[in-house]
């Protein structure tokens, strides 16, 4: 059965674009352009995930999110907020209100679809697929194999776990400490510098014969898997 994604967006052109791409990805898509109507529809038939605009007629996306989180039936409903409000304070407010992820306009459709897949995997594992793709990188999570284009990428166990974590959160920047907790575990003492070493190994394995580097280093912040591959 197809997972259902509800798009709550009042910008008609963007709504049409989102609907087209999500439908093409195999989702059952429901659209609504009004916050109050969205709350009523979700109460009647909750979708598997909501793409929620911040600025909406009648009821803001923040208030929609707050109301959904206040009800037991929709407390754990996956919500990705999409908004033109990109300031750090706005992102924190959106996440604190209960959004599972936050994407700032303008965004690429590739990144949005990757975020949708990532949230589905984290919150509704039964809907996840064994094959995870990012650009020309394919991770077979069942077989623990990685391909880039037609080439098989051979990774050590730590590099595989590092890539698997990054590919589930495309575009998100992780500090070295966050990657240590996610990949090595919080109960294991490893120096932060170790992350740099393994990121270097992962880069060398992924970027063969002049291929562009998908891993972005953010100075003083950490690393992310970035769809704008770097030369």
């Amino acid at each position: 059965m197809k997972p259902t994604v509800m798009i709550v967006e009042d910008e008609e052109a963007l709504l049409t674009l989102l609907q087209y791409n999500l439908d093409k990805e195999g989702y059952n898509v429901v659209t609504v352009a009004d916050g109050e109507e969205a709350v009523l529809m979700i109460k009647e038939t909750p979708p598997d995930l909501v793409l929620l605009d911040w600025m909406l007629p009648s009821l803001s996306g923040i208030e929609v999110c707050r109301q959904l989180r206040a009800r037991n039936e929709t407390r754990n409903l996956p919500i990705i907020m999409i908004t033109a409000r990109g300031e750090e304070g706005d992102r924190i407010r959106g996440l604190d209100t209960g959004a599972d992820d936050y994407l700032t306009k303008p965004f690429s459709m590739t990144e949005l679809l990757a975020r949708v897949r990532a949230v589905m995997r984290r919150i509704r594992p039964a809907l996840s697929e064994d094959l995870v793709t990012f650009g020309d990188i394919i991770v077979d999570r069942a077989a623990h194999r990685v391909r880039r284009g037609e080439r098989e990428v051979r990774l050590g166990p730590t590099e595989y776990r590092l890539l698997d974590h990054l590919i589930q959160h495309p575009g998100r920047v992780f500090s070295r400490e966050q990657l240590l907790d996610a990949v090595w575990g919080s109960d294991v003492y490893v120096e932060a510098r170790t992350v740099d070493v393994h990121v270097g190994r992962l880069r060398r394995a992924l970027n063969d014969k002049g291929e562009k580097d998908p891993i972005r280093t953010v100075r003083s912040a950490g690393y992310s898997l970035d769809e704008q591959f770097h030369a």
Side-chain angles (χ1 to χ4, degrees):
M1 187 170 156
K2 291 181 180 180
T4 298
V5 176
M6 175 181 282
I7 307 169
V8 188
E9 169 63 63
D10 65 332
E11 187 181 329
E12 189 173 346
L14 178 57
L15 183 64
T16 301
L17 184 63
L18 289 168
Q19 183 175 11
Y20 171 79
N21 281 276
L22 287 163
D23 184 68
K24 201 166 107 176
E25 283 283 303
Y27 296 104
N28 179 38
V29 182
V30 177
T31 65
V32 57
D34 179 274
E36 286 186 356
E37 186 181 352
V39 172
L40 292 173
M41 289 177 64
I42 291 169
K43 284 180 180 178
E44 291 177 5
T45 310
D48 293 294
L49 181 144
V50 178
L51 286 178
L52 181 60
D53 187 22
W54 182 310
M55 304 297 290
L56 291 167
S58 71
L59 201 65
S60 72
I62 283 287
E63 185 57 32
V64 171
C65 187
R66 186 177 291 115
Q67 289 190 22
L68 294 176
R69 290 296 179 246
R71 298 180 68 247
N72 288 332
E73 297 84 354
T74 53
R75 182 168 295 161
N76 296 315
L77 176 64
I79 297 171
I80 299 178
M81 192 159 282
I82 50 177
T83 176
R85 303 174 69 127
E87 296 297 322
E88 183 180 7
D90 292 325
R91 291 196 300 272
I92 291 170
R93 185 181 170 198
L95 294 169
D96 282 347
T97 303
D100 296 285
D101 207 343
Y102 189 105
L103 203 56
T104 304
K105 299 176 184 178
F107 51 79
S108 76
M109 202 53 57
T110 303
E111 181 175 1
L112 180 131
L113 293 172
R115 298 279 186 103
V116 168
R117 289 192 296 267
V119 171
M120 289 284 195
R121 284 194 299 272
R122 291 202 305 273
I123 301 177
R124 302 288 176 92
L127 298 175
S128 66
E129 299 177 354
D130 289 334
L131 293 180
V132 184
T133 62
F134 183 85
D136 60 351
I137 300 169
I138 302 173
V139 176
D140 185 336
R141 305 185 78 214
H144 276 232
R145 290 187 172 179
V146 178
R147 299 190 66 82
R148 184 162 191 187
E150 300 300 316
R151 174 174 64 89
E152 183 169 359
V153 179
R154 299 188 180 278
L155 300 176
T158 301
E159 286 72 43
Y160 175 85
R161 291 197 302 272
L162 184 60
L163 175 61
D164 187 53
H165 184 70
L166 291 172
I167 207 169
Q168 291 187 63
H169 307 84
R172 184 173 294 183
V173 179
F174 289 95
S175 68
R176 291 169 177 82
E177 290 74 19
Q178 288 172 323
L179 290 172
L180 283 173
D181 285 347
V183 176
W184 282 265
S186 56
D187 57 342
V188 177
Y189 175 75
V190 181
E191 290 186 0
R193 174 65 181 165
T194 304
V195 175
D196 300 332
V197 173
H198 286 278
V199 168
R201 291 177 182 172
L202 177 58
R203 274 185 164 136
R204 286 192 292 275
L206 286 175
N207 308 329
D208 188 36
K209 299 177 182 176
E211 290 166 318
K212 291 185 177 181
D213 187 2
I215 301 174
R216 180 166 64 103
T217 301
V218 182
R219 190 178 299 275
S220 302
Y223 299 100
S224 75
L225 203 63
D226 195 326
E227 76 153 275
Q228 299 297 326
F229 287 6
H230 301 275

